[in-house]
Amino acid sequence: MIKVGLFIPCYIDQLYPQVGMATLKVLERFNVEVDYPLDQTCCGQPMANAGCAADAAPLAEKFYRIFKDYPYVVCPSGSCTSMVRNHYDDYLKGKPGLEELKKKTFELCEFLTDVLKLEKIEGRFPYRVGLHQSCHGLRELRLAKSSERMGNPFSKVSPLLESLEGITLVKLSRPDECCGFGGTFAVGEEAVSCMMGKDRIADHEQSGTEVLTGVDMSCLMHLDGLIRRAGKPIRVMHIAEILAGD
Amino acid sequence: MDHSTRAAQFIRNEARVHWHDQALWYVRVKRDKMAQSVPEWENLREIAAQIKAHTMSRLPDYLEMFEENATRLGAKVHWAVDAREHNETVYQILKNHGVQRVVKSKSMLTEECHLNPFLEARGIEVVDTDLGERIVQLAQEPPSHIVLPAIHKKKEEIGELFHRYLHTEKGASDPTYLTESARGHLREKFLKADAGITGVNFAIAETGGLVICTNEGNADMGTSLPPLHIACMGFEKLIPRARDLGVFLRLLARSATGQPITTYSAHFHGPRPGGELHIVIVDNGRSQILQKPEFRRTLSCIRCGACMNTCPVYRRSGGHSYDSVVPGPIGSILSPAQDPQRYYSLPFASSLCGSCTDVCPVKIDLHHQLLAWRKELVLQGLIPFSKRLTMKVVGWVFQNTWAYEGTGRLVRWIVPKLPRSVLYNRWNVWGKQRELPPFPKESFREMYRKRKVQGSEARNRK
Ligand code: SF4
């Protein structure tokens, strides 16, 4: 039985507990033994992205201490996973086991595809679904080919969704443009951030999205905030909630 | 004023923002199509990145080689440490030749050095001959894009401008008509000019030659009539060999405008018979970037502008919101290198989506550079204290799990009890246009603990 340490990002823990539960369910459904170490808090990305390296470093160390001995670490967030994999060198360079920790830390869909080698998931989801390809998942983890790059298209996310019965993945006019969340950017550059978000939503509306989903709850939180303020009839769900089959 | 304030002003006119966004997205899509037509695209990018990295690693050698070869061809090479010295050098050359009228072909470097006002103050007429450049020059505005300097202007606005200065028909906004009128007007200027100033796209160390790419042929026009040609370049324009040129020319036009090749690629090897060619090589802060290994890749930039066209922030905030000669992602890392105090907000004018990095033909890791700049600015103490303090406090809370759990519980308990009018106050920037996320009763860890207890109870009962 594969054993994983579950990393639930701080804002999912506090604001979207159901996403954490769904992640747990998805993993257990495929016979993964999941342990959630209770001392965890945050990967340090908010501080790191604000340039405050000194405040991010102790959090990277905390993460390292808690998770380094698990065979795998799984996290339902592309952006926090990327923090570990692509940015922890800045804080932990030379620590024993860091290289392995970076390699064994996975975003949920990536774990399902790359480690569990799942090609399809049983379940039914008879809705028109719009996939928000979050930037860090896309361009830092390479969960799919970004539209700027040439070469053969691939995705570690959409085949999982498409394997569900009754689902339709909508086609967007700009398949992978940023939603404008960007961490502190969402507040520091409020005007641009909201404009970007509204444009994303307009694209989904035009494509007939009923349920908007993605691997990053942070982007979805921003889009959901705009959708609810405007009273639009689009439901927002983290991909784990869909894959868990509730 | 910082970027977010200027961006917010631009965004007030929503219809215009959409128009601006669409205009640039159109170029981005054209670029995608053209890149797709080159099967070895990603390979080319890699080679281009390596050539540039190699050049920068041996820059003094290549510069010397270039100077030697260019001089051998009959050009005169000048060195300028900063903008002031660049402007003085150009002025002295012009003065020595008794030049009154200059035609200039698009050069971001002369823009960077503010050459126009410098020369104008000394009684020399300077005319920008690239159509877009001419438009912003008439409007007395800086360019808002490095390849499409007047992309922020609608054709109706250009019509008005031309009506005022070039006496085109009032209300005329047909692009063909306007372009024709501008051509006629510029032809006059070309014929009367005493000297031509151009930028440089590529300077070849091995041959001492220069390559200048334009779509309107204005560099060729500006240099073939007047006897004096002054070419101004930052030292990063160097490439080692003539055979490297093919790599860059294929990438440049496709990335910039989605054309297979630039309409005119003019090659200059020494002065034309009877003429003079002066090359001014400028540092102006570049050697400082070169010295910092973490920022060195910035100097690989070939100024194609693709990162601007793709940048979702640039498209929605407009070039002028960056208040810098080079806007967009690349400008946001070049500008703070020159003046961190003035440009401290630019590295934060990005959601770090990484689209710029993936589009860049020379593979500059732009969004990582932006992040590195944020760190650098914090170290230099240029970030507002309030922001630093917030991060300190939040960081401390995250370090102490008990404090984190306690704060979380408190916030989740209080917020749902607050009336809307209190919650959505003017300090709640998030809530200006967005609803706050839900504040659930239980956190995930609380649910997880319970589930575990239930699980073990169930097992005990068995
Ligand atoms: S950074 Fe790259 S994409 Fe941007 S202008 Fe320079 S070469 Fe082009």
Side-chain angles (χ1 to χ4, degrees):
Chain A
M1 202 172 181
I2 290 184
K3 190 174 169 180
V4 311
L6 180 61
F7 174 56
I8 298 294
C10 49
Y11 69 99
I12 293 189
D13 173 33
Q14 293 296 329
L15 301 173
Y16 299 98
Q18 79 281 8
V19 173
M21 293 310 280
T23 308
L24 196 60
K25 260 181 89 175
V26 172
L27 290 170
E28 286 177 347
R29 202 173 140 191
F30 298 106
N31 280 324
V32 175
E33 188 188 332
V34 185
D35 187 29
Y36 172 76
L38 284 159
D39 197 27
Q40 63 177 285
T41 54
C42 165
C43 64
Q45 189 177 198
M47 291 83 212
N49 278 8
C52 302
D55 305 314
L59 298 176
E61 273 159 35
K62 187 179 166 99
F63 184 97
Y64 166 82
R65 205 175 56 239
I66 295 173
F67 285 105
K68 70 175 184 325
D69 293 326
Y70 284 98
Y72 292 101
V73 184
V74 176
C75 167
S77 152
S79 147
C80 303
T81 306
S82 164
M83 174 70 188
V84 175
R85 198 179 296 164
N86 299 314
H87 301 284
Y88 266 16
D89 267 345
D90 292 356
Y91 309 98
L92 301 168
K93 191 145 193 116
K95 288 243 182 196
L98 175 63
E99 283 312 306
E100 291 84 85
L101 179 62
K102 278 158 55 187
K103 274 189 211 122
K104 68 192 182 190
T105 302
F106 288 89
E107 181 279 326
L108 175 65
C109 293
E110 199 183 26
F111 181 76
L112 298 179
T113 319
D114 289 359
V115 180
L116 298 186
K117 310 274 181 216
L118 287 182
E119 272 161 23
K120 52 181 294 187
I121 287 197
E122 304 277 306
R124 224 178 106 69
F125 200 72
Y127 299 98
R128 290 180 63 83
V129 172
L131 175 61
H132 174 63
Q133 308 213 56
S134 59
C135 300
H136 284 179
L138 191 67
R139 302 194 186 86
E140 294 225 303
L141 297 181
R142 301 288 170 205
L143 294 182
K145 187 184 82 71
S146 65
S147 57
E148 300 86 10
R149 284 191 154 200
M150 301 302 123
N152 293 329
F154 66 91
S155 171
K156 299 180 182 181
V157 183
S158 49
L160 293 176
L161 283 174
E162 273 166 336
S163 71
L164 295 171
E165 220 181 288
I167 200 168
T168 313
L169 273 189
V170 306
K171 238 175 122 61
L172 298 165
S173 74
R174 300 184 190 179
D176 56 15
E177 175 141 280
C178 177
C179 70
F181 172 66
T184 50
F185 177 82
V187 174
E189 289 265 3
E190 191 264 348
V192 186
S193 169
C194 289
M195 189 86 222
M196 287 163 70
K198 286 196 254 176
D199 287 353
R200 285 321 288 145
I201 294 165
D203 199 351
H204 279 279
E205 270 187 303
Q206 230 181 10
S207 311
T209 294
E210 292 168 335
V211 179
L212 204 163
T213 191
V215 303
D216 267 290
M217 203 58 224
S218 49
C219 307
L220 297 178
M221 171 171 81
H222 160 71
L223 291 172
D224 185 48
L226 289 162
I227 288 174
R228 281 190 292 132
R229 174 64 62 88
K232 297 201 176 312
I234 297 181
R235 230 172 107 203
V236 175
M237 285 170 89
H238 188 274
I239 192 163
E241 296 177 271
I242 296 181
L243 298 181
D246 295 319
Chain B
M1 216 193 271
D2 57 9
H3 177 271
S4 68
T5 316
R6 284 186 298 260
Q9 283 171 358
F10 186 75
I11 283 178
R12 241 173 255 154
N13 187 345
E14 248 186 61
R16 199 181 175 95
V17 177
H18 280 134
W19 167 80
H20 189 259
D21 168 58
Q22 303 275 345
L24 288 152
W25 185 257
Y26 173 78
V27 186
R28 155 77 209 270
V29 171
K30 261 174 80 188
R31 171 263 170 205
D32 290 353
K33 268 210 195 97
M34 269 304 142
Q36 258 150 25
S37 71
V38 180
E40 67 275 30
W41 182 259
E42 296 300 330
N43 238 338
L44 271 182
R45 287 177 75 217
E46 183 58 35
I47 296 167
Q50 285 184 14
I51 295 174
K52 278 288 181 182
H54 165 81
T55 316
M56 289 307 140
S57 75
R58 298 185 39 191
L59 192 69
D61 298 344
Y62 281 126
L63 279 173
E64 244 174 66
M65 196 192 288
F66 175 74
E67 181 180 26
E68 222 179 276
N69 289 326
T71 313
R72 193 175 40 75
L73 291 172
K76 182 133 184 17
V77 178
H78 310 259
W79 303 88
V81 127
D82 55 16
R84 172 103 210 154
E85 208 179 334
H86 163 265
N87 293 351
E88 284 290 353
T89 308
V90 173
Y91 175 60
Q92 277 309 324
I93 304 170
L94 294 175
K95 206 170 121 192
N96 292 343
H97 288 75
V99 169
Q100 293 295 310
R101 285 168 299 256
V102 174
V103 281
K104 228 178 72 190
S105 164
K106 202 167 66 185
S107 151
M108 288 315 288
L109 178 73
T110 57
E111 198 63 49
E112 173 188 323
C113 297
H114 302 289
L115 178 69
N116 286 15
F118 185 92
L119 293 181
E120 278 155 10
R122 283 155 187 78
I124 296 175
E125 185 198 32
V126 190
V127 176
D128 283 315
T129 57
D130 168 272
L131 182 58
E133 289 273 317
R134 187 65 185 146
I135 292 168
V136 292
Q137 192 184 24
L138 290 176
Q140 295 179 342
E141 283 173 21
S144 71
H145 188 288
I146 58 174
V147 175
L148 314 157
I151 187 75
H152 61 290
K153 287 226 169 293
K154 296 196 169 187
K155 55 182 195 290
E156 292 77 18
E157 291 161 345
I158 297 167
E160 233 168 82
L161 205 61
F162 280 12
H163 171 65
R164 185 134 48 101
Y165 291 101
L166 314 182
H167 313 296
T168 51
E169 276 165 46
K170 194 167 173 50
S173 65
D174 172 47
T176 317
Y177 167 71
L178 292 178
T179 309
E180 280 308 317
S181 317
R183 281 226 173 117
H185 151 80
L186 284 171
R187 191 144 308 230
E188 289 279 297
K189 300 286 176 189
F190 280 124
L191 288 170
K192 285 197 192 130
D194 315 309
I197 297 180
T198 68
V200 170
N201 287 91
F202 304 101
I204 308 158
E206 174 193 55
T207 65
L210 304 173
V211 180
I212 302 162
C213 308
T214 65
N215 271 325
E216 296 157 26
N218 47 322
D220 311 55
M221 294 273 277
T223 53
S224 45
L225 285 174
L228 178 62
H229 173 191
I230 306 175
C232 304
M233 59 177 265
F235 67 48
E236 79 283 5
K237 297 288 165 174
L238 226 57
I239 58 171
R241 305 162 302 186
R243 55 181 284 216
D244 301 326
L245 203 56
V247 175
F248 292 102
L249 289 182
R250 292 181 78 193
L251 287 168
L252 178 65
R254 287 181 167 87
S255 299
T257 51
Q259 291 164 273
I261 191 108
T262 321
T263 317
Y264 300 88
S265 295
H267 298 243
F268 296 89
H269 288 80
R272 63 193 178 86
E276 269 184 44
L277 170 63
H278 292 258
I279 304 169
V280 189
I281 304 178
V282 182
D283 181 334
N284 205 28
R286 286 164 175 76
S287 51
Q288 290 212 20
I289 301 178
L290 190 65
Q291 276 161 28
K292 291 192 181 138
E294 71 269 38
F295 295 123
R296 186 172 298 160
R297 288 168 83 172
T298 313
L299 293 175
S300 303
C301 176
I302 56 172
R303 301 290 194 274
C304 69
C307 56
M308 287 154 217
N309 304 340
T310 205
C311 177
V313 176
Y314 175 94
R315 277 188 262 114
R316 289 177 185 80
S317 59
H320 289 154
S321 68
Y322 294 81
D323 186 32
S324 150
V325 173
V326 182
I330 181 66
S332 298
I333 52 184
L334 285 175
S335 313
Q338 286 194 324
D339 189 346
Q341 226 140 46
R342 175 165 174 195
Y343 297 115
Y344 76 93
S345 70
L346 295 191
F348 295 89
S350 163
S351 62
L352 302 182
C353 73
S355 181
C356 47
T357 300
D358 274 2
V359 92
C360 176
V362 288
K363 280 194 155 182
I364 300 174
D365 53 341
L366 287 146
H367 73 296
H368 290 155
Q369 303 266 325
L370 285 163
L371 188 59
W373 261 108
R374 292 182 183 184
K375 232 197 265 180
E376 175 76 23
L377 291 163
V378 169
L379 286 178
Q380 292 188 13
L382 289 170
I383 300 311
F385 177 71
S386 58
K387 201 170 164 191
R388 289 283 300 115
L389 187 69
T390 314
M391 285 303 158
K392 273 243 150 340
V393 174
V394 179
W396 182 86
V397 170
F398 281 144
Q399 274 176 58
N400 299 283
T401 312
W402 58 270
Y404 161 80
E405 283 197 49
T407 314
R409 212 171 294 137
L410 189 70
V411 172
R412 277 183 290 108
W413 180 74
I414 278 185
V415 172
K417 293 191 170 39
L418 295 175
R420 246 192 113 77
S421 55
V422 175
L423 211 49
Y424 289 88
N425 58 48
R426 64 193 163 100
W427 291 283
N428 177 0
V429 180
W430 176 277
K432 266 169 91 175
Q433 302 183 62
R434 291 166 289 215
E435 290 298 294
L436 289 167
F439 287 83
K441 279 218 173 64
E442 283 182 313
S443 66
F444 171 74
R445 65 185 60 224
E446 286 163 359
M447 290 167 98
Y448 180 81
R449 272 200 200 103
K450 260 196 208 154
R451 187 171 178 264
K452 234 184 161 163
V453 172
Q454 282 164 0
S456 59
E457 275 170 1
R459 268 194 299 282
N460 287 343
R461 273 199 300 274
K462 268 185 203 163

